[in-house]
Amino acid sequence: MNPGNYDSLNKAPVHMVNGSTEEDWHQHTLGGGWIYRTAYVDDSVYVGPNAIVSGTANVYDKCIIDGKAWIKDNVILNCQILVCDYAIVGGNTVLSGEGKISGFTCKIGRAHV
């Protein structure tokens, strides 16, 4: 699935996780983006209205997830990482420090940046 196909501010992206229901999703307080029940997003993180965080992803420390970005799987984002546009970060990826992932970038697999 591509988050680029998702463009609704008021409807949970149930099609992004097989078998999920509306009750499995909530909107993040800072930005209104969609968070799946098994993911964790800190209150300091901005998740834009069309961005999605799913899987067992953990996002901390003023990161910004914006545009139609999708954070999924077992990802850890920390320390002011910006993920935007149509970028997808998944797999067992750990990103920390200051950095930007944008455009149509897809970072999936074992990586530590």
Side-chain angles (χ1 to χ4, degrees), residues 84-105:
C84 59
D85 302 328
Y86 291 88
I88 299 172
V89 180
N92 292 315
T93 304
V94 177
L95 299 173
S96 61
E98 294 182 10
K100 179 179 178 181
I101 299 173
S102 61
F104 289 89
T105 304

Side-chain angles (χ1 to χ4, degrees), residues 19-40:
S20 75
T21 65
E22 294 273 337
E23 292 77 32
D24 292 327
W25 296 88
H26 70 275
Q27 289 182 283
H28 194 264
T29 55
L30 187 55
W34 289 96
I35 314 299
Y36 189 64
R37 65 178 169 81
T38 56
Y40 173 78

Side-chain angles (χ1 to χ4, degrees), residues 62-83:
K62 299 180 183 176
C63 289
I64 298 172
I65 315 301
D66 205 7
K68 294 187 178 186
W70 183 16
I71 309 302
K72 62 183 208 153
D73 303 328
N74 189 32
V75 169
I76 299 173
L77 298 182
N78 200 0
C79 297
Q80 302 180 22
I81 300 291
L82 167 62
V83 181

Side-chain angles (χ1 to χ4, degrees), residues 28-30 40-46 59:
H28 194 264
T29 55
L30 187 55
Y40 173 78
V41 178
D42 189 69
D43 289 340
S44 69
V45 173
Y46 175 82
V59 186

